[in-house]
């Protein structure tokens, strides 16, 4: 067991050291979240020293709990990197408006590091006294760290919100320059790139952020555009253009018509380092490495199962890309200098995926050992064991199958009733992770888990436990028979509606997705309406912080087929104008559900709704646009609604559409 665990941990340590060094070597800090980013970098540097010492010790008897801790730290640091890159490369102004959410995200990362270190057996590792003391200090500090929101960022954000609410000719140009300078917007090019990033953010937020969020981003785009014309006169614009004319960055290269054969099928960007996978298809190394590292074993383009994970350089295509870039004055210095680094990243990512018998046997022995602690240990040991199983079940279908075979599920179900908040949260999250493997869904339901899961959902000791209980119900309800069984529990649907009202953005989304699954069964639709879901879902459509626009629309569209659901939906006066706006600004999925709701409301005696549509000046143009450019389903329903409205107003000889 020691040698097999070592095989996994050696590869994991290499990946951890490489990832941590990547994060620590960020040269230019983002202009927002400066303190949170800098303190996080210091913590990761301390952890890097630990990883390097463990690797140098070459200890073949690394304890299983260390591997679980290191795996969780790898997951946390990878998400830290993604968040930092988002702060650095995304819209600075939108990041400023989201400063409290981003601050909370960094706070969560620190708490996750603390919890991972809870199970690190430092006394069993061969590390120096100095490193041990540093890690213990980091652990203590991380456990008691408090949320930090930069008061200067809050103040600047409030000024920005005031500017957004002001008339264009009413705000002070110097104030605008001060706010924009504080987030690194100083040149014309900065302003133009910021507008481009904000437009990208509109597309990201269309299905989740709701109309208010999309509207706020559009206000920001308008503000930046107007400020650009006010801050820079024609002469200064020309000077800025001359300053950047000699360099070609991302925005310039994007203006070229890149040949399709030079684009990565995953990212659709120019391939910097093309490689061939086992299926014969070519991808950019960084994109396919990320695909493989997230647990995919198939070719993204063909769907063919990859018989091996080797990435073979496509030198011929790389030469053609290089030649094309030279002809179009696009520098490849950065691409070439990073090629070896990306190659090593990918190799480490592939190395980290192990499907060998040795690795499976290692997981089996670890699972049996941890389940033994779950069965026989004290309260503290059970809490730690549940956390270790939660981490072990986080990735890999083999892991989930092996944990269930080791007999963990009945013990975890029992622990849902624990009076210890953290034990309860670890148990429900472990069951959620295990339920991703379909056969485990059957075992979890057979263990009588649904009552305990609903109890946690309704009155769990921590919000995270309640939210993960909702996610577990969503996962279990993927099987049709379980939709009936879960809906039959008298408190399941009311508890989901309660979380929809009280939960965080993540919890609301989990609850909405679970309700969407359950409402596919007709009897559950009536229970969902009876639990008061309809007015709450409509209210959430207007809440810019809820972040579940598409999910809420999906549930409402399902409840439309229930007579009581239709009656409850018709009672809402704000819904129709809201749906009209969603036809214009919603995601593709949101537009489909919006048109479904409008068509359903206008049918079967919906003359009043039809009249309200006809007097709204935005409705007919929105419907005509959807009928021309929407998805096939949306086009059919838009045509049907236009015909219905045409009949409604035919008596006045004023046809539409």
């Amino acid at each position: 067991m020691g040698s097999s665990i070592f095989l996994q941990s050696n590869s994991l340590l290499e990946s951890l050291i490489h990832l941590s060094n990547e994060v620590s070597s960020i040269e230019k800090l983002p202009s927002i979240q400066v303190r949170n980013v800098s303190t996080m970098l210091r913590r990761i540097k301390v952890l890097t020293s630990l990883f390097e010492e463990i690797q140098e010790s070459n200890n073949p008897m690394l304890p299983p709990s260390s591997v679980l801790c290191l795996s969780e730290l790898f997951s946390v640091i990878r998400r830290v990197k993604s968040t930092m890159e988002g702060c650095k490369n995304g819209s600075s102004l939108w990041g400023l408006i989201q400063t409290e959410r981003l601050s909370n995200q960094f706070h969560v990362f620190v708490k996750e590091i603390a919890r991972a270190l809870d199970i690190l057996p430092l006394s069993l590792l061969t590390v120096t006294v100095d490193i041990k003391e540093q890690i213990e200090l980091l652990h203590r500090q991380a456990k008691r760290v408090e949320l930090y929101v930069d008061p200067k960022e809050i103040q600047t954000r409030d000024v920005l919100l005031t500017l957004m609410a002001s008339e264009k000719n009413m705000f002070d140009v110097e104030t605008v320059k001060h706010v924009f300078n504080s987030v690194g917007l100083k040149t014309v090019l900065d302003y133009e790139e910021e507008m481009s990033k904000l437009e990208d953010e509109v597309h990201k937020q269309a299905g989740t952020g709701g109309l208010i969020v999309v509207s706020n981003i559009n206000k920001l785009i308008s503000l930046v555009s107007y400020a650009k014309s006010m801050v820079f006169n024609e002469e200064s614009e020309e000077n800025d253009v001359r300053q950047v004319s000699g360099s070609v960055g991302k925005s310039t290269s994007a203006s070229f018509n890149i040949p399709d054969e030079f684009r990565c099928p995953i990212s659709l960007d120019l391939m910097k380092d093309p490689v061939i996978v086992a299926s014969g298809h070519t991808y950019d190394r960084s994109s396919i490495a990320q695909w493989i590292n997230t647990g995919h074993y198939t070719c993204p383009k063909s769907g063919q199962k990859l018989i091996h994970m080797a990435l073979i350089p496509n030198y011929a295509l790389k030469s053609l890309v290089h030649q094309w870039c030279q002809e179009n004055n696009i520098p490849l210095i950065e691409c070439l200098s990073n090629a070896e680094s990306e190659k090593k990243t990918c190799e480490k990512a592939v190395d980290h995926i192990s499907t060998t018998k040795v690795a499976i046997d290692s997981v089996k022995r670890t699972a049996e050992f941890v389940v033994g602690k779950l069965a026989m240990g004290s309260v503290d040991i059970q809490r730690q064991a549940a956390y270790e199983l939660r981490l072990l079940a986080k990735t890999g279908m083999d892991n989930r199958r092996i944990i269930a075979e080791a007999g963990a599920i009945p013990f975890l179900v029992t622990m849902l009733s624990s009076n210890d908040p953290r034990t309860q949260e670890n148990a429900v999250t472990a069951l959620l992770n295990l339920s991703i493997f379909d056969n485990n869904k059957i075992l979890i339901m057979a263990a009588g888990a649904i009552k305990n899961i609903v109890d946690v959902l309704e009155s769990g000791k921590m919000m995270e436990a309640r939210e993960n209980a909702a996610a577990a119900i969503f996962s279990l309800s993927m099987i049709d028979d379980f939709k009936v069984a879960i809906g039959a529990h008298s408190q399941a649907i009311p508890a989901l509606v309660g979380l929809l009202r009280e939960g965080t953005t993540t919890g609301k989304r989990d609850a909405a997705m679970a309700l969407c699954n359950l409402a596919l069964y007709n009897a559950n639709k009536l229970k969902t309406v009876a639990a008061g879901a309809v007015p709450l879902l409509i209210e959430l459509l207007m809440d810019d912080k809820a972040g579940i626009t598409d999910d809420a629309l999906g549930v409402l569209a399902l409840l439309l087929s229930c007579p009581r659901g239709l009656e409850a939906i018709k009672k809402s006066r704000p819904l129709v104008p809201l749906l009209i706006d969603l036809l214009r600004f919603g995601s593709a999925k949101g537009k489909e559900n919006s048109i479904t709701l409008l068509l359903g409301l206008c049918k079967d005696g919906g003359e009043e709704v039809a009249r309200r549509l006809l007097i709204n000046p935005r409705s007919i143009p929105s419907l005509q646009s959807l009928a021309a450019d929407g998805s096939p389903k949306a086009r059919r329903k838009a045509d049907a609604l236009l015909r219905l409205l045409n009949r409604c107003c035919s008596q006045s000889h004023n046809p539409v559409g």
Side-chain angles (χ1 to χ4, degrees):
M1 177 181 175
S3 61
S4 59
I5 285 288
F6 177 69
L7 288 173
Q8 290 182 8
S9 61
N10 190 41
S11 171
L12 177 56
L13 280 166
E14 288 181 10
S15 298
L16 262 171
I17 291 168
H18 184 83
L19 177 65
S20 300
N21 284 333
E22 274 191 332
V23 176
S24 301
S25 62
I26 293 177
E27 293 181 359
K28 184 181 177 184
L29 294 182
S31 52
I32 55 174
Q33 295 295 318
V34 175
R35 175 167 160 179
N36 283 325
V37 168
S38 58
T39 53
M40 181 59 73
L41 287 175
R42 286 198 295 273
R43 292 185 180 99
I44 290 175
K45 285 177 182 177
V46 173
L47 290 172
T48 306
S49 301
L50 171 69
F51 305 148
E52 289 172 346
E53 284 219 353
I54 295 174
Q55 186 185 49
E56 289 168 4
S57 71
N58 237 0
N59 185 356
M61 297 297 291
L62 206 58
S65 55
S66 319
V67 179
L68 292 175
C69 170
L70 295 175
S71 298
E72 180 65 4
L73 289 173
F74 183 85
S75 172
V76 175
I77 295 171
R78 187 165 52 184
R79 283 181 283 128
V80 167
K81 181 186 175 187
S82 175
T83 301
M84 285 186 180
E85 287 175 344
C87 291
K88 186 177 177 182
N89 302 325
S91 163
S92 300
L93 292 174
W94 183 243
L96 183 63
I97 287 179
Q98 298 289 304
T99 186
E100 289 174 323
R101 182 186 65 81
L102 287 170
S103 299
N104 187 64
Q105 209 165 340
F106 279 104
H107 184 247
V108 168
F109 290 149
V110 178
K111 289 300 183 184
E112 288 180 353
I113 289 172
R115 293 185 61 188
L117 292 176
D118 282 342
I119 62 168
L120 181 67
L122 262 180
S123 59
L124 302 180
L125 300 177
T126 309
V127 295
T128 62
V129 174
D130 182 47
I131 291 296
K132 184 179 178 182
E133 289 177 352
Q134 287 185 46
I135 295 299
E136 288 173 342
L137 177 61
L138 186 153
H139 188 196
R140 289 195 300 271
Q141 290 175 340
K143 286 176 77 102
R144 63 172 186 262
V145 73
E146 295 183 358
L147 173 67
Y148 175 77
V149 183
D150 191 334
K152 289 184 179 178
E153 286 193 8
I154 292 292
Q155 185 179 5
T156 308
R157 182 205 59 185
D158 291 344
V159 174
L160 177 60
L161 291 172
T162 303
L163 291 171
M164 289 167 60
S166 304
E167 294 293 331
K168 287 182 179 178
N169 58 351
M170 296 296 290
F171 57 68
D172 178 50
V173 174
E174 288 303 315
T175 303
V176 175
K177 285 176 66 176
H178 174 73
V179 171
F180 285 19
N181 279 340
S182 72
V183 292
L185 304 181
K186 298 177 181 178
T187 68
V188 174
L189 186 60
D190 291 338
Y191 280 51
E192 290 173 351
E193 287 184 346
E194 179 69 10
M195 285 189 285
S196 177
K197 290 172 182 177
L198 286 167
E199 286 166 0
D200 290 341
E201 195 65 42
V202 168
H203 296 299
K204 289 179 191 175
Q205 296 286 343
T208 56
L211 288 173
I212 297 176
V213 168
V214 172
S215 173
N216 283 338
I217 299 173
N218 282 326
K219 286 180 183 177
L220 272 177
I221 295 172
S222 177
L223 175 64
V224 177
S225 177
Y226 184 74
K228 175 190 159 193
S229 65
M230 294 294 292
V231 172
F232 301 99
N233 57 33
E234 195 171 317
E235 180 182 351
S236 65
E237 281 192 7
E238 290 173 359
N239 289 336
D240 281 321
V241 170
R242 280 197 294 272
Q243 288 171 13
V244 299
S245 62
S247 62
V248 183
K250 179 179 177 183
S251 59
T252 312
S253 63
S255 66
F256 286 95
N257 185 18
I258 301 173
D260 289 342
E261 60 270 24
F262 294 169
R263 292 181 182 272
C264 173
I266 297 175
S267 67
L268 300 180
D269 291 331
L270 180 68
M271 285 190 276
K272 300 175 182 177
D273 190 10
V275 292
I276 304 169
V277 297
S279 64
H281 291 288
T282 296
Y283 301 92
D284 190 50
R285 185 184 292 275
S286 60
S287 297
I288 192 65
Q290 185 178 358
W291 170 266
I292 292 172
N293 199 31
T294 51
H296 297 90
Y297 301 91
T298 57
C299 170
K301 196 168 183 180
S302 66
Q304 176 183 342
K305 186 173 182 179
L306 299 176
I307 59 174
H308 63 76
M309 300 298 166
L311 305 180
I312 303 166
N314 190 335
Y315 292 115
L317 182 58
K318 187 172 184 177
S319 176
L320 291 172
V321 171
H322 194 183
Q323 181 182 343
W324 179 84
C325 288
Q326 286 180 328
E327 291 171 355
N328 290 277
N329 295 320
I330 299 176
L332 268 179
I333 296 171
E334 181 183 351
C335 305
L336 294 175
S337 64
N338 287 340
E340 285 303 312
S341 173
E342 289 173 358
K343 179 180 178 182
K344 290 176 183 176
T345 303
C346 176
E347 287 170 352
K348 289 175 174 57
V350 175
D351 285 343
H352 189 47
I353 299 171
S354 178
T355 56
T356 63
K357 184 177 183 301
V358 172
I360 291 174
D361 287 345
S362 171
V363 173
K364 183 176 180 181
R365 292 170 188 248
T366 301
E368 290 171 350
F369 174 69
V370 176
V371 170
K373 292 198 293 182
L374 207 64
M376 306 295 292
S378 65
V379 173
D380 289 341
I381 289 174
Q382 284 183 329
R383 183 194 309 115
Q384 178 178 322
Y387 181 61
E388 291 176 5
L389 286 177
R390 166 184 177 170
L391 296 184
L392 195 59
K394 199 171 182 178
T395 56
M397 289 301 182
D398 280 331
N399 289 10
R400 295 170 186 130
R401 172 182 58 80
I402 290 166
I403 292 169
E405 289 173 355
I409 289 174
F411 293 112
L412 290 169
V413 170
T414 301
M415 291 172 69
L416 293 175
S417 303
S418 171
N419 290 323
D420 179 67
R422 198 58 80 178
T423 300
Q424 185 184 71
E425 186 210 350
N426 288 333
V428 75
T429 309
L431 287 169
L432 164 62
N433 293 341
L434 289 171
S435 72
I436 297 170
F437 183 57
D438 280 346
N439 192 59
N440 285 350
K441 291 180 172 67
I442 299 168
L443 297 176
I444 290 168
M445 292 296 286
I450 195 60
K451 178 185 180 301
N452 289 11
I453 291 174
V454 171
D455 287 346
V456 174
L457 171 65
E458 188 176 27
S459 54
K461 300 181 185 303
M462 298 176 67
M463 182 55 74
E464 292 91 339
R466 294 180 62 192
E467 292 173 349
N468 288 338
I473 288 176
F474 166 71
S475 178
L476 294 170
S477 64
M478 298 295 287
I479 295 178
D480 287 342
D481 287 348
F482 296 164
K483 291 179 175 64
V484 181
I486 294 169
H489 191 288
S490 61
Q491 291 304 308
I493 288 175
L496 286 170
V497 174
L499 185 62
L500 201 60
R501 181 181 298 106
E502 302 162 5
T504 65
T505 296
T506 300
K508 291 178 193 295
R509 184 176 296 115
D510 288 334
M513 290 169 67
L515 286 171
C516 206
N517 255 4
L518 294 174
L520 291 170
Y521 177 57
N522 284 330
N524 290 338
K525 293 177 184 176
L526 192 60
K527 293 178 181 177
T528 305
V529 175
V534 170
L536 180 57
L537 288 164
I538 295 171
E539 183 182 323
L540 289 171
L541 287 178
M542 297 180 284
D543 183 353
D544 61 317
K545 295 181 180 178
I548 61 164
T549 303
D550 281 357
D551 300 305
L553 285 170
V555 180
L556 287 170
L558 285 170
L559 298 180
L560 194 67
S561 61
C562 164
R564 289 193 185 177
L566 176 61
E567 182 182 343
I569 293 170
K570 278 185 175 180
K571 289 179 181 177
S572 172
R573 297 291 298 181
L575 181 60
V576 171
L578 193 62
L579 293 175
I580 293 170
D581 285 339
L582 285 166
L583 291 180
R584 301 167 62 207
F585 300 116
S587 67
K589 182 182 175 184
K591 289 175 182 178
E592 283 187 6
N593 284 324
S594 296
I595 191 65
T596 298
L597 283 161
L598 286 170
L599 184 59
L601 288 169
C602 288
K603 283 182 176 178
D604 303 324
E607 291 84 0
E608 182 192 349
V609 176
R611 283 194 297 272
R612 285 159 60 192
L613 276 174
L614 287 169
I615 62 174
N616 189 311
R618 299 190 301 274
S619 61
I620 302 305
S622 298
L623 288 170
Q624 289 171 332
S625 175
L626 195 60
D629 302 320
S631 66
K633 180 180 177 181
R635 288 201 302 268
R636 287 195 304 272
K637 296 199 172 187
D639 283 334
L641 184 52
L642 283 168
R643 288 195 300 271
L644 190 151
L645 294 176
N646 217 357
R647 289 196 297 271
C648 285
C649 68
S650 59
Q651 292 180 349
S652 62
H653 304 288
N654 185 26
V656 299

